[in-house]
Amino acid sequence: ILNYNKMLAFDPNYFDAQQVIGMAFFQLQRFDSAEYHFKQVIALKPNDPNVTNNMGAVYLNSKRYPQAIEWFKKTLAIDPNFISAYSNLGRAYYFSGQYQAAIDVFNKELTLNPKDGSNIPYIALSYQKMGNMEMAKKYEAIAKQIYSNFKLE
């Protein structure tokens, strides 16, 4: 962070420096600082799906789900095949209690990337939260193939 801040002293619009500093603060879970730097990056490259996804991740991890959803939707508007944005958007929907929306997004992710079932537990849990135990059990069985210790709540 210190070295990249020195680079920014010479060129405040140095995209890579802002991006690296934002990622470093994100890894340190200093989400306010990460948000600040990602906003600088977005000002420089507003249509970069990596940047908008990173901003959404800041909000997701700081439990500001409406903002996270907005940024992940922006990411997908820029690049409809940006797989991690579907994963992130589904999680934002799940944690905000929008279970059907989470299921829909995770299913879209699975159609684009059928070999990655890492979010199937969220589908099972979403069905459980909605009271559809038949579907919850179906997805629990699938999730156990990936995570042997997975159980519904």
Side-chain angles (χ1 to χ4, degrees):
I1 293 172
L2 292 173
N3 287 333
Y4 281 99
N5 271 328
K6 289 178 184 177
M7 291 178 192
L8 288 175
F10 294 107
D11 181 4
N13 293 324
Y14 184 29
F15 173 83
D16 290 335
Q18 292 285 6
Q19 179 78 350
V20 169
I21 292 171
M23 291 302 295
F25 280 124
F26 183 85
Q27 293 296 323
L28 294 169
Q29 297 183 357
R30 293 179 51 192
F31 300 121
D32 289 343
S33 296
E35 176 185 11
Y36 170 81
H37 287 281
F38 288 145
K39 282 183 178 179
Q40 305 307 308
V41 173
I42 286 170
L44 297 170
K45 291 191 179 182
N47 293 316
D48 184 325
N50 291 303
V51 175
T52 56
N53 191 60
N54 288 343
M55 183 62 86
V58 165
Y59 292 125
L60 177 62
N61 284 279
S62 58
K63 299 180 181 175
R64 294 185 283 177
Y65 303 121
Q67 295 95 328
I69 289 166
E70 177 184 330
W71 281 102
F72 296 134
K73 285 181 173 180
K74 285 181 185 181
T75 302
L76 293 169
I78 296 166
D79 182 354
N81 295 313
F82 200 90
I83 301 295
S84 67
Y86 285 102
S87 177
N88 290 332
L89 179 59
R91 290 172 190 224
Y93 279 137
Y94 175 81
F95 289 118
S96 65
Q98 298 178 61
Y99 303 117
Q100 187 60 57
I103 291 167
D104 295 343
V105 169
F106 289 134
N107 280 324
K108 174 68 175 176
E109 176 191 17
L110 283 169
T111 62
L112 294 172
N113 191 16
K115 293 183 179 182
D116 181 9
S118 61
N119 287 311
I120 290 175
Y122 286 109
I123 296 173
L125 292 168
S126 293
Y127 277 119
Q128 181 183 29
K129 298 272 188 188
M130 294 184 336
N132 186 339
M133 291 310 294
E134 180 182 336
M135 291 298 285
K137 293 283 187 186
K138 173 186 171 186
Y139 279 94
E140 178 186 37
I142 298 168
K144 283 185 176 188
Q145 295 173 11
I146 301 163
Y147 304 103
S148 59
N149 293 331
F150 175 75
K151 293 179 183 171
L152 292 170
E153 296 175 345

